Amino acid sequence: MLVLGIGNPGRRDDGLGAAAAEQLKKRHLRSVTCDANYQLAVEDALACAAHEIVVFVDAGRGLRKPFTFAAIEPDPRMPAMSHALGPTAVLALAETLYEQRPEARLLAIRGHDFSVGEGLTRRAEGHLALALIFLEAFLKGVRT
Amino acid sequence: MGQKITIEPVTRVEGHGKVTIRLDDAGKVTQSRFHVVEFRGFERFVQGRPYWEAPVLVQRLCGICPVSHHLASAKAMDVIVGAGPGKLTATAEKMRRLMHYGQMFQSHALHFFYLASPDFLLGMDADPAVRNVIGLIALDKELATRAVLMRKFGQEIILATAGKKIHGTGAIPGGINKNLSPEERDRFLKGPDPLTIDRMIEWSQAAIDLFRDYHRKNKDLVDRFAEFPSNHLSLVRKDGALDFYHGCLRAVDADGRKVLDDVDYQDYVKHIGEETRSWSYMKFPYLRALGKEDGWYRVGPLARLNTCDYIPSPLAQKEFETYKAYTDGKPNNMSLHSHWARLIELLHSAEVIKELLLDKDLQGTKLVKKGRRAPEGIGLVEAPRGTLFHHYRVNDDDQITMANLIVSTTNNNEPMNRAVNWVAMNVLSEKPEITEGMLNRVEVAIRAYDPCLSCATHALGRMPLEVALVDAAGRVLQRKVR
């Protein structure tokens, strides 16, 4: 299983994805690899293709709940100008290039402040704690 | 009815681009602008922070080229700690070079294969849904596989030299904090195949062949598309060689006359001005010697191969000679030739990486130097997209009191506007209907400069583009969001 955190810790709550991956890594869950980067790029398809289950973790704007957790499917649509890819595009790349289609989820954790600055807001930290309890249970096969 | 075309973002975005093209009642272009919609906040963010944090903090500017910001900032801080240019240990300078050339390699590979090649290989009129790397896979799976592995190879070099993906700490004021172990070195030299430096060199050469083949078959398009005269600026090594990590400032005009030469970049303020315009958050830099009107310049691969005298690696030098011969040694002002130049730089980066990997200095243990403390420091590197300036002042309490950054994309602000204007005038103007293919040509023109608006707006984010068609009254008649 692969947990991929996405986001920029230099934009306050945008760092939720990276923080989730970092905190989860410290829990040393069996068969779980954690990684994080500012954004996804083509080589992440290679990592996704090598795992049966992939969970992308990103900060979410406009959420009404502390977090959402949903299955996602490959989608080949890509932005014209960005060097970065979205999770569904990475999955599409893994499927097309490596003929692998991991079971994928997107965990979006509610962020409140995306301005330039360091550290998560107190509210985002609370959402992160709840999301990690859920994610750990999912990764251990307790939740689906 | 007069019209206006705009290009805008939909996803979570902090920096994004917008192209606005105004048409009059007859469909004739009256104005075109490429602008960004984000206020810069990063320079203020670093104020008050201890100077030694800057090389880590500035990586947050960009998810694609954090290494460029890391190194430009570290070079500025070298000056602050009295270990400026020429004073680092051999191990420190070479480790930084390895990190930087690793980044150039991955960035150039990503840009060409992922963003630019679909335009060439699938055609500028192809449906945007397939004119991307997925479409490329359908056309040439081997090529797409190489693209991923080349990017991965460069990323692995960065990881081995910078320490980690987010907030790498490889470069510190006065040096570096790690060397390259023999195990790390051997992994890049020996593999597992195909992730070896020899394979990367081979694939880089193949990429140049691919472009040249396309050029041969589409000479008129590649040569004429968004071609316009300009000045060109970059760092060059003291002896005129291409150098991405360090050098003096050199600028040439469209005919190759030197406007600046052998300029110590610590004096950049005397030579480079920054103009603001009400309609864009991005500044417009210019050469003071030529003034605001005529002093704008290009940076990046095209500019670098126009300013340097030669490339100090054999395979890339051979390609450089062919490239220069195409314009009889004169500056190349053809926007799409940026891709050709970028691929020659890709090959050069791979050659330099190999040379560095074979250098025993990378296993040295003298990592840091310090000297007399200075209150101000300026660091420049040639980032993948062009010259990157970092300028800081630090007080006696070691706090940063001033930061000024001129990023590559900002340096290319006016040239990108000129390129968009070229498409507006030559492709869109006075046409009865604006097609998807026409709008894509606007993107192709901008893409040649490989802009990173996250950097330019000093905020990390994606860079979607909005193109809209607007009438003389300001009503948007057609809008495309990518």
Side-chain angles (χ1 to χ4, degrees):
Chain A
M1 290 179 279
L2 173 66
V3 175
L4 266 177
I6 316 158
N8 180 7
R11 303 283 295 193
R12 303 295 311 264
D13 294 346
D14 195 38
L16 273 163
E22 196 176 308
Q23 291 189 27
L24 200 68
K25 194 174 186 175
K26 290 176 184 164
R27 299 184 188 184
H28 302 289
L29 302 182
R30 187 182 296 172
S31 304
V32 176
T33 304
C34 297
D35 199 1
N37 212 336
Y38 297 102
Q39 52 201 27
L40 297 170
V42 290
E43 72 275 14
D44 290 308
L46 201 54
C48 288
H51 291 84
E52 289 178 8
I53 297 173
V54 179
V55 180
F56 298 94
V57 189
D58 199 357
R61 259 182 178 162
L63 297 180
R64 292 182 178 275
K65 297 190 283 189
F67 66 89
T68 60
F69 190 70
I72 53 172
E73 301 287 326
D75 184 340
R77 285 176 295 179
M78 297 185 183
M81 282 289 163
S82 177
H83 298 85
L85 294 176
T88 55
V90 169
L91 293 172
L93 202 51
E95 184 175 41
T96 318
L97 201 52
Y98 302 109
E99 292 160 11
Q100 297 294 325
R101 187 175 176 139
E103 189 183 327
R105 301 280 193 282
L106 175 62
L107 173 63
I109 308 173
R110 186 179 179 182
H112 297 273
D113 181 358
F114 291 82
S115 61
V116 175
E118 282 188 294
L120 301 176
T121 59
R122 190 178 290 269
R123 284 195 288 173
E125 280 178 350
H127 304 326
L128 173 62
L130 290 173
L132 284 176
I133 291 168
F134 179 91
L135 181 58
E136 188 171 341
F138 171 79
L139 295 169
K140 287 177 175 171
V142 179
R143 303 290 294 267
T144 57
Chain B
M1 188 192 311
Q3 301 176 95
K4 175 176 154 189
I5 301 176
T6 309
I7 302 182
E8 226 167 347
V10 279
T11 52
R12 185 187 74 205
V13 171
E14 283 107 22
H16 62 266
K18 189 171 177 177
V19 173
T20 304
I21 300 170
R22 285 184 183 278
L23 309 176
D24 66 14
D25 291 344
K28 190 173 177 181
V29 171
T30 57
Q31 183 191 66
S32 72
R33 280 173 173 171
F34 170 55
H35 44 139
V36 296
V37 198
E38 163 75 15
F39 188 73
R40 307 192 315 170
F42 201 84
E43 281 133 330
R44 273 206 304 262
F45 172 59
V46 295
Q47 284 175 21
R49 305 298 294 254
Y51 71 81
W52 54 82
E53 287 186 358
V56 175
L57 291 175
V58 295
Q59 292 174 74
R60 295 167 184 182
L61 283 165
C62 183
I64 287 298
C65 53
V67 169
S68 302
H69 289 293
H70 180 53
L71 291 176
S73 178
K75 286 181 76 178
M77 295 312 162
D78 291 344
V79 177
I80 300 282
V81 300
K87 294 178 183 166
L88 293 185
T89 68
T91 303
E93 172 153 343
K94 288 174 183 175
M95 279 294 287
R96 287 188 185 183
R97 282 184 177 273
L98 182 60
M99 189 193 307
H100 193 40
Y101 281 75
Q103 173 186 230
M104 294 295 276
F105 184 79
Q106 62 85 10
S107 179
H108 280 3
L110 182 72
H111 179 266
F112 181 72
F113 289 110
Y114 171 53
L115 288 173
S117 70
D119 289 330
F120 298 138
L121 300 175
L122 298 159
M124 292 186 196
D125 293 311
D127 180 354
V130 297
R131 191 173 24 81
N132 57 34
V133 71
I134 299 288
L136 189 63
I137 293 168
L139 192 73
D140 190 338
K141 194 168 183 177
E142 170 65 21
L143 195 66
T145 305
R146 287 182 184 185
V148 172
L149 293 176
M150 289 169 89
R151 158 86 180 171
K152 183 175 170 63
F153 184 86
Q155 288 292 86
E156 294 291 329
I157 291 269
I158 292 170
L159 197 57
T161 49
K164 46 187 179 172
K165 287 181 183 171
I166 294 184
H167 302 167
T169 53
I172 56 177
I176 49 158
N177 70 7
K178 81 179 281 285
N179 64 9
L180 193 75
S181 71
E183 294 75 26
E184 287 169 322
R185 176 200 62 200
D186 290 348
R187 183 156 53 89
F188 297 121
L189 287 172
K190 297 172 187 168
D193 192 54
L195 288 170
T196 66
I197 188 58
D198 285 330
R199 188 72 70 191
M200 296 302 127
I201 291 172
E202 179 195 322
W203 287 355
S204 301
Q205 287 180 291
I208 296 174
D209 291 342
L210 180 77
F211 181 85
R212 290 218 305 225
D213 183 54
Y214 179 81
H215 184 201
R216 199 163 39 245
K217 294 171 182 162
N218 300 274
K219 205 175 276 287
D220 195 43
L221 171 71
V222 176
D223 291 356
R224 284 193 61 246
F225 188 89
E227 191 272 339
F228 53 87
S230 75
N231 304 300
H232 302 271
L233 175 96
S234 82
L235 293 175
V236 294
R237 205 165 74 185
K238 198 82 175 164
D239 65 353
L242 179 71
D243 195 318
F244 301 145
Y245 178 73
H246 190 65
C248 306
L249 282 170
R250 179 184 283 179
V252 299
D253 67 16
D255 296 317
R257 285 183 290 267
K258 286 174 183 154
V259 181
L260 293 181
D261 194 24
D262 203 19
V263 168
D264 180 348
Y265 62 66
Q266 297 298 324
D267 294 328
Y268 88 94
V269 176
K270 292 181 192 165
H271 302 281
I272 309 288
E274 293 179 86
E275 186 192 3
T276 53
R277 294 181 195 169
S278 59
W279 51 271
S280 177
Y281 283 121
M282 256 204 301
K283 289 181 180 174
F284 289 79
Y286 62 94
L287 299 165
R288 290 190 192 279
L290 299 179
K292 289 180 183 175
E293 193 64 29
D294 301 320
W296 58 277
Y297 53 83
R298 283 163 158 139
V299 297
L302 193 74
R304 284 191 286 257
L305 296 203
N306 282 332
T307 54
C308 77
D309 299 326
Y310 73 101
I311 297 181
S313 66
L315 298 174
Q317 170 62 18
K318 200 172 162 214
E319 296 293 341
F320 178 66
E321 286 164 13
T322 306
Y323 173 88
K324 291 298 280 187
Y326 193 75
T327 54
D328 297 323
K330 293 285 185 189
N332 187 327
N333 289 297
M334 297 171 263
S335 288
L336 291 188
H337 284 227
S338 295
H339 300 300
W340 189 1
R342 188 173 288 112
L343 293 173
I344 294 172
E345 290 192 342
L346 176 79
L347 175 60
H348 174 57
S349 299
E351 287 185 282
V352 172
I353 289 168
K354 182 171 183 181
E355 186 185 314
L356 286 165
L357 289 171
L358 294 171
D359 191 325
K360 289 188 172 14
D361 278 342
L362 288 186
Q363 281 76 53
T365 53
K366 290 181 181 165
L367 306 183
V368 184
K369 270 198 156 177
K370 293 279 165 67
R372 179 177 291 185
R373 177 85 149 62
E376 187 168 6
I378 294 161
L380 266 70
V381 293
E382 280 299 321
R385 291 150 196 82
T387 317
L388 170 65
F389 299 66
H390 275 227
H391 180 185
Y392 304 91
R393 288 197 195 102
V394 175
N395 66 18
D396 291 339
D397 295 324
D398 294 340
Q399 293 169 317
I400 295 167
T401 56
M402 187 285 294
N404 185 45
L405 278 58
I406 309 176
V407 304
S408 319
T409 297
T410 302
N411 282 310
N412 271 331
N413 197 357
E414 181 66 27
M416 287 190 290
N417 270 280
R418 299 269 171 157
V420 167
N421 190 251
W422 187 94
V423 177
M425 302 307 289
N426 291 279
V427 178
L428 297 168
S429 197
E430 296 181 270
K431 297 293 187 299
E433 187 192 355
I434 305 299
T435 65
E436 188 76 35
M438 289 175 180
L439 294 182
N440 184 45
R441 281 162 174 77
V442 175
E443 293 175 17
V444 171
I446 299 169
R447 204 150 35 231
Y449 296 88
D450 190 17
C452 180
L453 289 190
S454 299
C455 281
T457 56
H458 299 196
L460 187 77
R462 294 175 185 168
M463 193 205 135
L465 207 58
E466 172 194 310
V467 187
L469 193 62
V470 180
D471 66 16
R475 288 182 297 241
V476 177
L477 301 174
Q478 193 178 341
R479 175 180 292 184
K480 299 285 176 192
V481 179
R482 298 277 174 75

